[in-house]
């Protein structure tokens, strides 16, 4: 008589444990899905900020080259244009391949004496 209720209690306890395990697995899968989504969104935002920063730097360098074009034939030494004196940021423009048919202006962005992005553009043209 005692054997039947004990078997029922054991069976019921095992079924409850299975439901708890499957619920735990579902919670873990959901947290993995949410974490992956958050990581993807964060990486995408960081990539967009980095791309915008690069576009701004290129715009600064191209502006410096446009400013130096009228003086390009007289550039015997690099031409330095300040961007932000307090932050120690400037652009250095110099002539590459002087006297050659492919002479170009090179602009380099400096921050705290460290060179950063560099671009080269032909003297003639836009």
């Amino acid at each position: 008589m005692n054997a039947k209720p004990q078997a029922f209690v054991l069976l019921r306890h095992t079924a409850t444990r299975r439901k708890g395990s499957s619920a735990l697995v579902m919670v873990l899968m959901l947290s993995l899905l949410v974490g992956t989504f958050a990581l993807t969104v964060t990486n995408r935002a960081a990539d967009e900020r980095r791309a915008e920063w690069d576009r701004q730097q290129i715009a600064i360098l191209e502006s410096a080259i446009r400013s130096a074009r009228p003086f390009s034939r007289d550039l015997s030494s690099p031409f330095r244009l300040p961007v932000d004196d307090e932050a120690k940021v400037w652009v250095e423009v110099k002539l590459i391949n002087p006297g050659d048919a492919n002479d170009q202006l090179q602009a380099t962005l400096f921050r705290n004496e460290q060179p950063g992005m560099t671009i080269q553009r032909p003297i003639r043209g836009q």
Side-chain angles (χ1 to χ4, degrees):
M1 210 161 160
N2 273 344
K4 195 170 190 178
Q6 284 179 347
F8 179 72
V9 169
L10 182 62
L11 183 62
R12 186 174 173 201
H13 183 66
T14 304
T16 304
R17 192 178 317 160
R18 284 186 191 148
K19 286 180 185 176
S21 296
S22 62
L24 180 62
V25 168
M26 291 297 288
V27 167
L28 290 174
M29 288 175 58
L30 183 62
S31 65
L32 180 64
L33 181 67
V34 170
T36 302
F37 175 75
L39 186 62
T40 302
V41 169
T42 303
N43 284 342
R44 185 173 296 153
D47 289 342
E48 288 176 12
R49 280 193 305 270
R50 205 172 302 116
E52 180 60 29
W53 175 249
D54 288 344
R55 281 190 292 271
Q56 289 175 357
Q57 287 182 328
I58 290 171
I60 289 170
L61 293 171
E62 286 180 342
S63 177
I65 287 176
R66 279 193 304 272
S67 299
R69 270 194 182 126
F71 311 107
S72 61
R73 298 293 175 212
D74 301 326
L75 282 178
S76 58
S77 63
F79 187 66
R80 190 171 173 168
L81 297 167
V83 176
D84 188 355
D85 287 333
E86 292 179 13
K88 296 180 183 174
V89 179
W90 71 89
V91 176
E92 186 177 275
V93 181
K94 63 183 176 181
L95 186 62
I96 304 293
N97 301 329
D100 191 5
N102 297 326
D103 50 353
Q104 296 184 347
L105 287 173
Q106 175 179 308
T108 305
L109 188 65
F110 283 83
R111 182 180 304 275
N112 293 326
E113 305 289 331
Q114 297 295 317
M117 184 179 281
T118 298
I119 64 170
Q120 291 181 358
R121 299 290 186 260
I123 289 178
R124 293 165 209 76
Q126 296 288 330

